[in-house]
Each structure stands twice: as structure tokens, then as C-alpha cells.
Amino acid sequence: MTTKSVQQILPPPAAHMVGDGFRVHNFFPSGYNMGNKRMSPFFMLDYNSKVEFPPTDTPRGVGVHPHRGFETVTIAYHGKVAHHDSAGNSGIISEGDVQWMTAASGVLHKEYHEKEFAKKGGMFQMVQLWVNLPAKYKMSPPKYQEISNSKMGKYLLPNDGGYVEVIAGELKGIKGAASTFTPLEMYNARLKKGAKLTVNFPANYNTGFVVIEGKVKVNSSQEADVDHFILFKNDGEEITIEPLEDAIILLLSGEPIDEPVASYGPFVMNTQEELVQAVNDFNRGKFGVLED
Ligand code: MN
């Protein structure tokens, strides 16, 4: 087994607001001009680092908007988010939960802070990933997976070293809760200081992780601080992670989708023609109906 070496340790790029409810650092594709495919099948990573929202009677968030051609995965670390979509699905996720929405052929949805959380205000920290779909699934029906924390398989580290929530994929025999369209691994590792986690992914898998809390040592050499994204080369399989203090990291690894990518706003397709089609279908109301 050879080491998957670190390509770059990236500090969080300047934050921007998505609607009025999400203050995000975009690590890719735009944040570091990594290109549309560097982390494929993961197309986009928006990281809402910790931010304190004051109380409000009008929940903050993002109003009704469309998506086509991919999946949105929202992972909550602090605060609560409510989701509604035109396929009739809705849900609330809070700390430790994941919401996996397959937009595929198209949905309208809205994403707001949950009412009671908004009323009280408080610490907010989330990740939203866009997971691309291969051409053959882009126009499949929308789907929704609500993955509450209790549904996730957990791998326990020896010697009380913490645990890893397997959101998707499989870690040391523990299966992930989410079903995916292409092979990918997504873990939330909650590690205690002094522990050591070793993971293996195929060399060709695009791989990276976000340090959500704490500080970790990677491959016994480099140190990665909180809110940083660690991008790996496609040169080996094995990664070791040693928390220098109690830490949470979000690990992502997946088989690249070897297809052209054309994207425009909330649409991720293969060709320009398909983007034009998406805009036209949206304008003609083919994404369904959802009230603001
Ligand atoms: Mn959205």
C-alpha cells in the first residue's frame, strides 16, 4: 500500500452569502480554480464555517430555486435547516444529520433555517456538497434521503479514540447509510486527541477532507488546521490522520466521472445544449411547483 500524498492544504477562501442564511467558503470548483472535475464526482463544496446568527422571526435562507443533473448533500454541524422541494419531500436536519437530495431531472427547492432555531438564533455550521451524476442518471426521477445521525453506521476506533460516521460508501466493513449513483466514500470522523485513523481509497479516486473542528496531522508529516481543505494527489491509496487535539473531519473520496461537464448556476450537465434545455424547461414550469 502506497501513501496518498497531500497535494495542497487550502485555507478557507473569502466567504460569500448564499441567500441570507448561509455564509460559505467555496473550496471548489471556483474558490481555487480547481476546475469542474478535479474533485469529481464531487462538483462543489460550500463550507459554512461557524457563524453566530442573531434571533429573527423571519427565518434566513434561500428561496425557491431549481437544480438539475446532480445531487445536493447537506451536512449539519451546528444549527438546523428545513428543506422543501417540488417532488413533495421535506425535512429538518440538525447537528449530526445529513440530507441527500437527488435533483436529477429537476426539482425546485428552498432551504431555510428551521423556525425555532431562527427564533432563538445561535451557532450555525454546515457543509453543502454537490455530487455530480453521470449522463445516464442525470434525467432520472428526483429522490430524497433523510439520513438522521442514528441511521449512520459507525466505526469505533480502538482505545476509545472516537468514531467515524459512515455517510456513504464503506469503512472497514461498516456500510454507509446513503445510496449513491457512482462509487464514493463520505465519512464524518470524530476523533479524540492521540488516536490514529488509517483509510484506504483507490489511487484514482479524487480525495480530500475538511477540518471541521480541531487540528490534525496528515500522513505523519503535515499539519492541517480547522476550516482548511486538504487535497490529495492521485498517487497512492493510504492516508493516516492523527488528531493533535479532539477533531472532526469530513472525508470525501470518489471515482471520477469521466465525462464532460457543462455547468450554469444551479444546473450541472454534460453539454451546452443540455444547459439551454434546462433553462427552457425551468422557464416553462417543467420543474414543478413550490410555494415561497
Ligand atoms: Mn439548492
Side-chain angles (χ1 to χ4, degrees):
M1 204 74 78
T2 55
T3 301
K4 198 184 269 298
S5 48
V6 172
Q7 178 177 325
Q8 241 180 325
I9 296 181
L10 303 168
H16 68 274
M17 292 302 293
V18 177
D20 64 355
F22 305 90
R23 193 207 60 172
V24 305
H25 309 276
N26 180 265
F27 281 108
F28 59 83
S30 57
Y32 283 96
N33 296 312
M34 272 188 217
N36 279 344
K37 289 170 71 171
R38 177 59 187 89
M39 274 298 290
S40 173
F42 310 99
F43 173 80
M44 189 205 77
L45 169 57
D46 267 352
Y47 172 50
N48 189 135
S49 60
K50 278 184 190 162
V51 60
E52 186 89 23
F53 281 104
T56 173
D57 287 329
T58 313
R60 299 176 176 86
V62 194
V64 175
H65 60 278
H67 289 299
R68 174 181 279 180
F70 62 99
E71 307 180 280
T72 66
V73 179
T74 309
I75 304 164
Y77 294 98
H78 288 283
K80 292 186 180 187
V81 169
H83 158 99
H84 294 86
D85 69 43
S86 56
N89 296 303
S90 65
I92 292 166
I93 56 166
S94 59
E95 187 169 340
D97 300 333
V98 174
Q99 175 205 90
W100 198 297
M101 186 195 75
T102 306
S105 64
V107 294
L108 304 176
H109 79 158
K110 53 183 180 182
E111 302 156 282
Y112 281 99
H113 295 185
E114 184 269 337
K115 241 183 181 168
E116 294 308 311
F117 169 78
K119 229 175 233 176
K120 280 207 292 198
M123 189 63 81
F124 194 80
Q125 188 184 24
M126 301 263 159
V127 165
Q128 188 169 86
L129 286 154
W130 288 9
V131 178
N132 202 2
L133 292 171
K136 63 176 174 182
Y137 297 120
K138 280 193 183 292
M139 293 303 282
S140 61
K143 181 176 146 183
Y144 184 79
Q145 301 176 73
E146 189 164 300
I147 304 164
S148 60
N149 195 268
S150 60
K151 280 193 208 163
M152 288 175 206
K154 293 180 176 77
Y155 166 72
L156 302 181
L157 275 82
N159 307 316
D160 203 21
Y163 58 95
V164 183
E165 297 160 348
V166 186
I167 301 167
E170 183 173 343
L171 173 66
K172 302 178 202 289
I174 308 290
K175 287 216 161 70
S179 71
T180 65
F181 289 84
T182 61
L184 66 87
E185 308 290 323
M186 190 182 295
Y187 317 144
N188 223 3
R190 299 176 187 267
L191 308 171
K192 298 257 182 73
K193 184 183 175 180
K196 182 176 185 172
L197 174 68
T198 304
V199 291
N200 289 288
F201 305 119
N204 71 314
Y205 274 32
N206 291 324
T207 302
F209 69 79
V210 185
V211 184
I212 304 289
E213 293 275 357
K215 188 176 190 169
V216 300
K217 187 177 255 191
V218 193
N219 294 339
S220 308
S221 53
Q222 279 149 295
E223 289 183 9
D225 225 328
V226 70
D227 296 341
H228 284 53
F229 182 76
I230 293 70
L231 176 67
F232 289 87
K233 293 181 185 168
N234 297 77
D235 61 349
E237 295 89 23
E238 190 168 274
I239 297 171
T240 58
I241 297 158
E242 295 160 281
L244 301 168
E245 51 194 77
D246 287 0
I248 301 176
I249 65 168
L250 173 64
L251 258 161
L252 308 170
S253 186
E255 185 181 88
I257 298 172
D258 187 19
E259 293 178 3
V261 172
S263 77
Y264 176 72
F267 309 122
V268 183
M269 306 301 291
N270 297 105
T271 67
Q272 287 300 317
E273 291 71 28
E274 289 165 347
L275 289 177
V276 171
Q277 186 68 48
V279 172
N280 287 340
D281 287 352
F282 170 61
N283 288 334
R284 288 185 196 126
K286 290 195 178 170
F287 283 59
V289 179
L290 184 65
E291 303 225 332
D292 226 332

